Amino acid sequence: MLHSRSTLVPIFTVLTFLTAQTASAHEGMWVPTLLKAIEGDMRTEGLQISAEDIYSINNGSLKDAVALFGSGCTADVVSTQGLILTNHHCGRSSIQNNSTLEHNYLRDGFMAATLADELPNAGLSVTFMVRIEDVSQRINALLNSGMGEEERYAVAKREGAAIIAEALEGNKFDAVVRPFNYGNSWFLIVSETFRDIRLVAAPPEGIGEFGGNADNWMWPRQTGDFSVFRIYASPENLPAEYAAENKPFTPRRSIAIDMGGAQAGEFAMIYGFPGTTQYYIPSYGVEQVMSMSDPLRIAMRGASLNVITAAMNADAATKIQYYSKRGSIANGWKKWQGELQGLTALGTVAKKQAEEAEFLRRATGMPEYAGILPRLEKLYAEQAPYAQARDLFSEFIYNGAYLPRFAAGFSKLIEGRDTISKAVAEAEVKRLRASASAFFKNYNATVDHDVFAAQLPLVLEYQSSLLATPALQAVQTKFNGNAQRYADDLFARSVFTDSLKLFRLLDHYSKKSAKKMAQDPAYQLGNSASTTYTDKIRPRYNAISDSLDAALRTWSKGLITLFPEKTWWPDANLTLRVSYGKVEGTFPQDGLAYLPFTTLDGVMAKYVPNDPEFNVPQKLIDLYNAKDYGPYATDGEMRTCFLSSLHTTGGNSGSPVFNGKGELIGINFDRTWESTMSDIQFDPAICRNISVDIKYVLFVIDKFLGGKRLVDEMELVGMDGEKVDGADGAPHVIELPLHR
Ligand code: ASP
């Protein structure tokens, strides 16, 4: 049956639609080998393929077309020649690395005219799952509650090594055994990694990053957040390092594309590599996130972002240098603000406390759970100062100014100056020369100084006296507490800001030059911060975390056992998962409705000429004015993004969103503002993920970038625009013609 597609939707119908749908949103990120348990429910919701079509080790299944992209995103195989789609923000650093002022692919976009024009990316990899197997029985049989964490870990590691050795017999795959649910269960994961991954196409930032930071984590959204890569393999179709003779990879399975367009209310499913969730943490853990870690990270990133954004807007070369770094800093900065609001709005702490009280009631007479809550409370309290110091180190030394960390990297030459052999010193000089060359390519001493100076007062405020970086005492002792003067002096005197001087020192490396470097203020600070971290912060943090993991293992087992009426799924850990729900909008706040689709009209409404976030490329404006959408329009409109009720997190970026037939309808890239707390608590009525509509992706590739050759590689289905949706293929009428 055809859907009615009138654009005039009575408001009553909209409301009914939205409220009716919220009941069907699903919490949970499911391990695909365990789908049999929920297959029935998925089919009732509209899945038309079988669990075996989603995950199979014997036949090519959808899992063979979904891969881990780099170390934190997902990619979707869309052709028999190894073509993959992911997000623009996942491909961002590769696009940046291939960009120069003359060939600025970030600003202008990129389309390889032929295979020979596809651009290699050193260090980029794509990993497929060959097999996932629950090995809990085998490992848990060797563990008992009398074991300490270290012993437990050693036994699990030994048995894991045996399991891995068996799994790798007679093949060249990789394998790991990973704990799930704090070590209540264990999974063997066999994988295959490809390392010759080439950039094929990317939209310009006016499409791929449209809306920038202002629109990130927001709906309505119109970002064409995609990029295109290709996997290359050896002539035998096996993983190989980059080589000119490598060929496009022939995958076991590629994904067909639904040209009918996503339909409001239809079944949707996402398959990908969600990174981290903290579903099981008790109220003390949530309190720690809300009172300590989110505020600290937001403050530190806010300080650096102001500096970086202003510098990027003022200068095109700086913009290329900082593109990726700014993107990832801003992403966390904004998300944690939403998370705080969301957790407050949901009353998560109070909800967890109520759950904890009920836990105690249900656990009466069960000695294994006696004392677990006070133990968790104590451990979180003990961990707090170390967790804070760790966050501070990470935001200041890893995500803040580059200089102290870069300088600290020279410690082997500097600290070892009296003992190091000539040969080792020479090898180290060579290594450092190479890494310094790469470093200076993206180094801008002025911006770095300003980031450092902006963050330093916060570091001084947040650091606790016991875990403080000793070198920072100089702010008081030498500069009378004036952080700005300390920063100015450090950058003015450090040799590590100046490539010429640094290379000269390296070229004439001697005990004497090492002694000079040892006095360098940036080295002293970097070294002092890292030593404090490795000697004082990390060991204690890790030891408490081990105890916390042990307690959380008991706690999560208790929750699963004592609350059988609830849905339980293992926390995300960057392993392959499936979530399902529907294409649907929501009422995220009192008086506010999110409709499920956006269109190019929204792009034009937000267009601000030459704005860093809302500029639109002229060619897109022309295509819009001419309504030149080719076969990619839906109901005469060019849709850009859509919402669905799929439980996702970071790492799901780039994941394929499928309809009930297992055809691609979109590429996931974000969540709405009101969903940013879903790593801790998922609210089915409100949480929605955001995908770029696959037809918009094809439109941009074909009509905007001139890449018809890529579309021709793909399998397009449902060109007539008619769709039938429902269990077992039975027609299911979606009465509400909500299309935006
Ligand atoms: N936009 C997100 C990210 O990159 C994806 C998500 O967390 O939903 O982290």
Side-chain angles (χ1 to χ4, degrees), residues 571-590:
D571 263 324
N573 56 359
L574 208 63
T575 56
L576 190 59
R577 303 293 179 94
V578 171
S579 310
Y580 66 104
K582 286 194 183 323
V583 174
E584 59 179 324
T586 178
F587 293 112
Q589 294 169 26
D590 186 32

PDB file of all heavy atoms in Angstrom, residues 571-590:
ATOM      1  N   ASP A 571      27.543  -2.943  28.412  1.00  0.00           N
ATOM      2  CA  ASP A 571      28.010  -1.603  28.051  1.00  0.00           C
ATOM      3  C   ASP A 571      28.814  -1.631  26.748  1.00  0.00           C
ATOM      4  O   ASP A 571      29.551  -2.583  26.480  1.00  0.00           O
ATOM      5  CB  ASP A 571      28.926  -1.067  29.165  1.00  0.00           C
ATOM      6  CG  ASP A 571      28.171  -0.154  30.127  1.00  0.00           C
ATOM      7  OD1 ASP A 571      27.287   0.590  29.668  1.00  0.00           O
ATOM      8  OD2 ASP A 571      28.479  -0.194  31.332  1.00  0.00           O
ATOM      9  N   ALA A 572      28.688  -0.544  25.981  1.00  0.00           N
ATOM     10  CA  ALA A 572      29.451  -0.424  24.738  1.00  0.00           C
ATOM     11  C   ALA A 572      30.947  -0.442  25.050  1.00  0.00           C
ATOM     12  O   ALA A 572      31.380   0.130  26.058  1.00  0.00           O
ATOM     13  CB  ALA A 572      29.094   0.886  24.045  1.00  0.00           C
ATOM     14  N   ASN A 573      31.721  -1.104  24.204  1.00  0.00           N
ATOM     15  CA  ASN A 573      33.175  -1.161  24.406  1.00  0.00           C
ATOM     16  C   ASN A 573      33.912  -1.229  23.066  1.00  0.00           C
ATOM     17  O   ASN A 573      34.890  -1.943  22.918  1.00  0.00           O
ATOM     18  CB  ASN A 573      33.541  -2.357  25.303  1.00  0.00           C
ATOM     19  CG  ASN A 573      33.013  -3.670  24.736  1.00  0.00           C
ATOM     20  OD1 ASN A 573      32.369  -3.679  23.700  1.00  0.00           O
ATOM     21  ND2 ASN A 573      33.309  -4.764  25.413  1.00  0.00           N
ATOM     22  N   LEU A 574      33.396  -0.517  22.092  1.00  0.00           N
ATOM     23  CA  LEU A 574      33.977  -0.458  20.749  1.00  0.00           C
ATOM     24  C   LEU A 574      33.979  -1.825  20.070  1.00  0.00           C
ATOM     25  O   LEU A 574      34.869  -2.146  19.297  1.00  0.00           O
ATOM     26  CB  LEU A 574      35.396   0.148  20.781  1.00  0.00           C
ATOM     27  CG  LEU A 574      35.834   0.871  19.501  1.00  0.00           C
ATOM     28  CD1 LEU A 574      34.951   2.069  19.219  1.00  0.00           C
ATOM     29  CD2 LEU A 574      37.290   1.347  19.568  1.00  0.00           C
ATOM     30  N   THR A 575      32.989  -2.642  20.412  1.00  0.00           N
ATOM     31  CA  THR A 575      32.802  -3.894  19.671  1.00  0.00           C
ATOM     32  C   THR A 575      31.491  -3.786  18.898  1.00  0.00           C
ATOM     33  O   THR A 575      30.651  -2.926  19.187  1.00  0.00           O
ATOM     34  CB  THR A 575      32.741  -5.107  20.621  1.00  0.00           C
ATOM     35  OG1 THR A 575      31.692  -4.892  21.581  1.00  0.00           O
ATOM     36  CG2 THR A 575      34.073  -5.302  21.347  1.00  0.00           C
ATOM     37  N   LEU A 576      31.352  -4.685  17.939  1.00  0.00           N
ATOM     38  CA  LEU A 576      30.221  -4.598  17.008  1.00  0.00           C
ATOM     39  C   LEU A 576      28.874  -4.795  17.724  1.00  0.00           C
ATOM     40  O   LEU A 576      28.701  -5.765  18.451  1.00  0.00           O
ATOM     41  CB  LEU A 576      30.416  -5.672  15.931  1.00  0.00           C
ATOM     42  CG  LEU A 576      29.492  -5.625  14.715  1.00  0.00           C
ATOM     43  CD1 LEU A 576      29.606  -4.300  13.972  1.00  0.00           C
ATOM     44  CD2 LEU A 576      29.807  -6.786  13.773  1.00  0.00           C
ATOM     45  N   ARG A 577      27.959  -3.889  17.492  1.00  0.00           N
ATOM     46  CA  ARG A 577      26.644  -3.951  18.146  1.00  0.00           C
ATOM     47  C   ARG A 577      25.530  -3.563  17.174  1.00  0.00           C
ATOM     48  O   ARG A 577      25.752  -2.821  16.215  1.00  0.00           O
ATOM     49  CB  ARG A 577      26.571  -2.979  19.331  1.00  0.00           C
ATOM     50  CG  ARG A 577      27.627  -3.182  20.395  1.00  0.00           C
ATOM     51  CD  ARG A 577      27.467  -4.485  21.137  1.00  0.00           C
ATOM     52  NE  ARG A 577      28.527  -4.606  22.120  1.00  0.00           N
ATOM     53  CZ  ARG A 577      28.405  -4.240  23.395  1.00  0.00           C
ATOM     54  NH1 ARG A 577      27.267  -3.748  23.835  1.00  0.00           N
ATOM     55  NH2 ARG A 577      29.425  -4.377  24.223  1.00  0.00           N
ATOM     56  N   VAL A 578      24.335  -3.998  17.529  1.00  0.00           N
ATOM     57  CA  VAL A 578      23.126  -3.652  16.778  1.00  0.00           C
ATOM     58  C   VAL A 578      22.157  -2.937  17.715  1.00  0.00           C
ATOM     59  O   VAL A 578      21.981  -3.364  18.852  1.00  0.00           O
ATOM     60  CB  VAL A 578      22.430  -4.939  16.269  1.00  0.00           C
ATOM     61  CG1 VAL A 578      21.068  -4.626  15.673  1.00  0.00           C
ATOM     62  CG2 VAL A 578      23.307  -5.669  15.264  1.00  0.00           C
ATOM     63  N   SER A 579      21.563  -1.856  17.247  1.00  0.00           N
ATOM     64  CA  SER A 579      20.452  -1.239  17.979  1.00  0.00           C
ATOM     65  C   SER A 579      19.295  -1.118  16.999  1.00  0.00           C
ATOM     66  O   SER A 579      19.524  -0.954  15.797  1.00  0.00           O
ATOM     67  CB  SER A 579      20.783   0.170  18.465  1.00  0.00           C
ATOM     68  OG  SER A 579      21.998   0.196  19.139  1.00  0.00           O
ATOM     69  N   TYR A 580      18.078  -1.141  17.502  1.00  0.00           N
ATOM     70  CA  TYR A 580      16.955  -0.991  16.583  1.00  0.00           C
ATOM     71  C   TYR A 580      15.876  -0.097  17.163  1.00  0.00           C
ATOM     72  O   TYR A 580      15.800   0.108  18.375  1.00  0.00           O
ATOM     73  CB  TYR A 580      16.396  -2.350  16.158  1.00  0.00           C
ATOM     74  CG  TYR A 580      15.754  -3.147  17.269  1.00  0.00           C
ATOM     75  CD1 TYR A 580      14.365  -3.238  17.362  1.00  0.00           C
ATOM     76  CD2 TYR A 580      16.528  -3.796  18.214  1.00  0.00           C
ATOM     77  CE1 TYR A 580      13.767  -3.973  18.383  1.00  0.00           C
ATOM     78  CE2 TYR A 580      15.945  -4.524  19.233  1.00  0.00           C
ATOM     79  CZ  TYR A 580      14.566  -4.614  19.321  1.00  0.00           C
ATOM     80  OH  TYR A 580      13.987  -5.325  20.331  1.00  0.00           O
ATOM     81  N   GLY A 581      15.076   0.437  16.268  1.00  0.00           N
ATOM     82  CA  GLY A 581      14.002   1.349  16.654  1.00  0.00           C
ATOM     83  C   GLY A 581      13.254   1.752  15.401  1.00  0.00           C
ATOM     84  O   GLY A 581      13.012   0.905  14.529  1.00  0.00           O
ATOM     85  N   LYS A 582      12.946   3.026  15.281  1.00  0.00           N
ATOM     86  CA  LYS A 582      12.191   3.485  14.116  1.00  0.00           C
ATOM     87  C   LYS A 582      12.699   4.832  13.622  1.00  0.00           C
ATOM     88  O   LYS A 582      13.344   5.557  14.377  1.00  0.00           O
ATOM     89  CB  LYS A 582      10.720   3.668  14.506  1.00  0.00           C
ATOM     90  CG  LYS A 582       9.968   2.375  14.683  1.00  0.00           C
ATOM     91  CD  LYS A 582       8.491   2.665  14.723  1.00  0.00           C
ATOM     92  CE  LYS A 582       7.629   1.446  14.982  1.00  0.00           C
ATOM     93  NZ  LYS A 582       8.007   0.197  14.404  1.00  0.00           N
ATOM     94  N   VAL A 583      12.344   5.157  12.401  1.00  0.00           N
ATOM     95  CA  VAL A 583      12.545   6.526  11.927  1.00  0.00           C
ATOM     96  C   VAL A 583      11.435   7.338  12.574  1.00  0.00           C
ATOM     97  O   VAL A 583      10.258   7.089  12.316  1.00  0.00           O
ATOM     98  CB  VAL A 583      12.418   6.589  10.386  1.00  0.00           C
ATOM     99  CG1 VAL A 583      12.477   8.030   9.903  1.00  0.00           C
ATOM    100  CG2 VAL A 583      13.485   5.733   9.726  1.00  0.00           C
ATOM    101  N   GLU A 584      11.792   8.244  13.448  1.00  0.00           N
ATOM    102  CA  GLU A 584      10.737   8.977  14.152  1.00  0.00           C
ATOM    103  C   GLU A 584      11.287  10.212  14.861  1.00  0.00           C
ATOM    104  O   GLU A 584      12.449  10.262  15.243  1.00  0.00           O
ATOM    105  CB  GLU A 584      10.028   8.085  15.177  1.00  0.00           C
ATOM    106  CG  GLU A 584      10.934   7.501  16.238  1.00  0.00           C
ATOM    107  CD  GLU A 584      10.186   6.646  17.263  1.00  0.00           C
ATOM    108  OE1 GLU A 584       9.038   6.996  17.604  1.00  0.00           O
ATOM    109  OE2 GLU A 584      10.764   5.649  17.725  1.00  0.00           O
ATOM    110  N   GLY A 585      10.405  11.168  15.054  1.00  0.00           N
ATOM    111  CA  GLY A 585      10.761  12.379  15.791  1.00  0.00           C
ATOM    112  C   GLY A 585      10.435  12.226  17.258  1.00  0.00           C
ATOM    113  O   GLY A 585      10.273  11.115  17.758  1.00  0.00           O
ATOM    114  N   THR A 586      10.334  13.323  17.947  1.00  0.00           N
ATOM    115  CA  THR A 586      10.030  13.261  19.388  1.00  0.00           C
ATOM    116  C   THR A 586       9.595  14.630  19.899  1.00  0.00           C
ATOM    117  O   THR A 586       9.705  15.636  19.199  1.00  0.00           O
ATOM    118  CB  THR A 586      11.271  12.793  20.181  1.00  0.00           C
ATOM    119  OG1 THR A 586      10.957  12.793  21.563  1.00  0.00           O
ATOM    120  CG2 THR A 586      12.455  13.709  19.993  1.00  0.00           C
ATOM    121  N   PHE A 587       9.109  14.626  21.117  1.00  0.00           N
ATOM    122  CA  PHE A 587       8.889  15.877  21.840  1.00  0.00           C
ATOM    123  C   PHE A 587      10.000  15.997  22.871  1.00  0.00           C
ATOM    124  O   PHE A 587       9.891  15.429  23.954  1.00  0.00           O
ATOM    125  CB  PHE A 587       7.555  15.851  22.584  1.00  0.00           C
ATOM    126  CG  PHE A 587       6.361  15.819  21.704  1.00  0.00           C
ATOM    127  CD1 PHE A 587       5.547  14.695  21.652  1.00  0.00           C
ATOM    128  CD2 PHE A 587       6.040  16.916  20.923  1.00  0.00           C
ATOM    129  CE1 PHE A 587       4.430  14.670  20.836  1.00  0.00           C
ATOM    130  CE2 PHE A 587       4.922  16.897  20.103  1.00  0.00           C
ATOM    131  CZ  PHE A 587       4.117  15.769  20.057  1.00  0.00           C
ATOM    132  N   PRO A 588      11.077  16.695  22.587  1.00  0.00           N
ATOM    133  CA  PRO A 588      12.208  16.673  23.513  1.00  0.00           C
ATOM    134  C   PRO A 588      12.017  17.560  24.734  1.00  0.00           C
ATOM    135  O   PRO A 588      12.641  17.327  25.759  1.00  0.00           O
ATOM    136  CB  PRO A 588      13.350  17.202  22.658  1.00  0.00           C
ATOM    137  CG  PRO A 588      12.687  18.086  21.662  1.00  0.00           C
ATOM    138  CD  PRO A 588      11.336  17.512  21.413  1.00  0.00           C
ATOM    139  N   GLN A 589      11.201  18.589  24.601  1.00  0.00           N
ATOM    140  CA  GLN A 589      10.980  19.498  25.729  1.00  0.00           C
ATOM    141  C   GLN A 589       9.525  19.931  25.700  1.00  0.00           C
ATOM    142  O   GLN A 589       8.877  19.859  24.654  1.00  0.00           O
ATOM    143  CB  GLN A 589      11.839  20.767  25.586  1.00  0.00           C
ATOM    144  CG  GLN A 589      13.319  20.548  25.678  1.00  0.00           C
ATOM    145  CD  GLN A 589      14.091  21.798  25.250  1.00  0.00           C
ATOM    146  OE1 GLN A 589      13.604  22.917  25.342  1.00  0.00           O
ATOM    147  NE2 GLN A 589      15.296  21.593  24.757  1.00  0.00           N
ATOM    148  N   ASP A 590       9.087  20.429  26.806  1.00  0.00           N
ATOM    149  CA  ASP A 590       7.721  20.927  26.873  1.00  0.00           C
ATOM    150  C   ASP A 590       7.480  21.938  25.745  1.00  0.00           C
ATOM    151  O   ASP A 590       8.232  22.904  25.605  1.00  0.00           O
ATOM    152  CB  ASP A 590       7.523  21.602  28.240  1.00  0.00           C
ATOM    153  CG  ASP A 590       6.087  22.010  28.456  1.00  0.00           C
ATOM    154  OD1 ASP A 590       5.194  21.309  27.950  1.00  0.00           O
ATOM    155  OD2 ASP A 590       5.867  23.038  29.118  1.00  0.00           O
TER     156      ASP A 590
END
